[in-house]
Amino acid sequence: MTRMRLCRMGAKKQPFYRIVIADQRGARNEFIEEVGTYNPLNGGKVVFDTAKTQEWLKKGAQPTETVKVLLKKNGVID
């Protein structure tokens, strides 16, 4: 099953996350495609490629709880 989850990037004490599509059983840094970014230090700025995100949701990718909250806040899903 594919999951839509966060992949941590950035330096120590400066987190930056990529929102990626990954196999549920795979490692955190192995992913299929990047669909957005999340920067909690920059006021919680989230950038999505809405077309890719909608496409993967239609294919059956399940977002994690954190990603689901980010998607709802930005109006990508209801």
Side-chain angles (χ1 to χ4, degrees):
M1 172 188 286
T2 55
R3 301 282 295 194
M4 191 176 295
R5 63 186 184 191
L6 297 175
C7 177
R8 190 182 193 281
M9 306 297 284
K12 183 177 176 182
K13 306 258 186 193
Q14 295 180 349
F16 178 81
Y17 298 93
R18 289 182 182 169
I19 301 165
V20 298
I21 307 299
D23 184 22
Q24 182 177 358
R25 298 163 293 183
R28 268 291 167 218
N29 295 330
E30 294 178 15
F31 58 89
I32 300 168
E33 186 173 11
E34 181 181 341
V35 295
T37 59
Y38 169 56
N39 189 349
L41 298 179
N42 192 9
K45 184 176 179 184
V46 180
V47 177
F48 282 105
D49 184 341
T50 309
K52 283 184 185 178
T53 304
Q54 292 292 338
E55 179 183 333
W56 277 104
L57 290 171
K58 287 179 185 174
K59 288 181 181 178
Q62 297 293 316
T64 60
E65 289 298 318
T66 306
V67 173
K68 190 182 287 187
V69 169
L70 293 173
L71 290 170
K72 285 183 181 180
K73 282 184 179 179
N74 291 287
V76 178
I77 62 173
D78 296 331

